[in-house]
Amino acid sequence: MYASLEDEIRAAIAVMKRQNEEARKINAEMRKRNSNMIGDILDSVENMARYSRTMSQSRMRLIRCTGKSKRSSFDLRTLNQHLMNSQ
């Protein structure tokens, strides 16, 4: 009776060892996948930040370019008044 009980215990321990090994493999694979996902997410965030910086810099340039323009030294109204006054 003790021999069969000992065999059952050894068999159960062998099964637990295989399950532990399988769990370690799954855990390692999940860590690898999570690490890859985190890397991808960080890359996406970095790309969004780069895009945002580019857009804000573009807007700043656009504001500078489309700000109030300097008054032109050649003004048709003034020119017409001078022409009419000179006649």
Side-chain angles (χ1 to χ4, degrees):
M1 181 168 169
Y2 288 114
S4 67
L5 182 59
E6 186 178 340
D7 291 341
E8 284 183 43
I9 292 172
R10 285 187 185 168
I13 290 173
V15 168
M16 285 191 288
K17 284 181 181 179
R18 285 196 307 269
Q19 287 174 340
N20 272 345
E21 186 59 36
E22 195 62 32
R24 281 189 197 106
K25 287 179 186 176
I26 291 170
N27 195 10
E29 181 63 29
M30 292 302 289
R31 274 193 224 137
K32 184 178 175 184
R33 285 183 186 177
N34 287 342
S35 177
N36 290 343
M37 282 183 4
I38 290 170
D40 291 345
I41 290 169
L42 289 175
D43 288 344
S44 296
V45 168
E46 186 177 332
N47 288 338
M48 284 188 278
R50 191 177 303 124
Y51 177 76
S52 176
R53 280 193 303 272
T54 302
M55 290 304 293
S56 66
Q57 289 170 354
S58 297
R59 268 191 239 125
M60 285 172 51
R61 279 191 222 116
L62 218 101
I63 289 169
R64 275 188 240 131
C65 292
T66 60
K68 289 185 177 179
S69 60
K70 293 180 182 177
R71 186 169 177 160
S72 171
S73 59
F74 181 76
D75 184 8
L76 286 177
R77 238 183 245 161
T78 308
L79 180 64
N80 283 338
Q81 285 177 355
H82 287 300
L83 289 174
M84 290 171 71
N85 290 338
S86 66
Q87 288 178 357

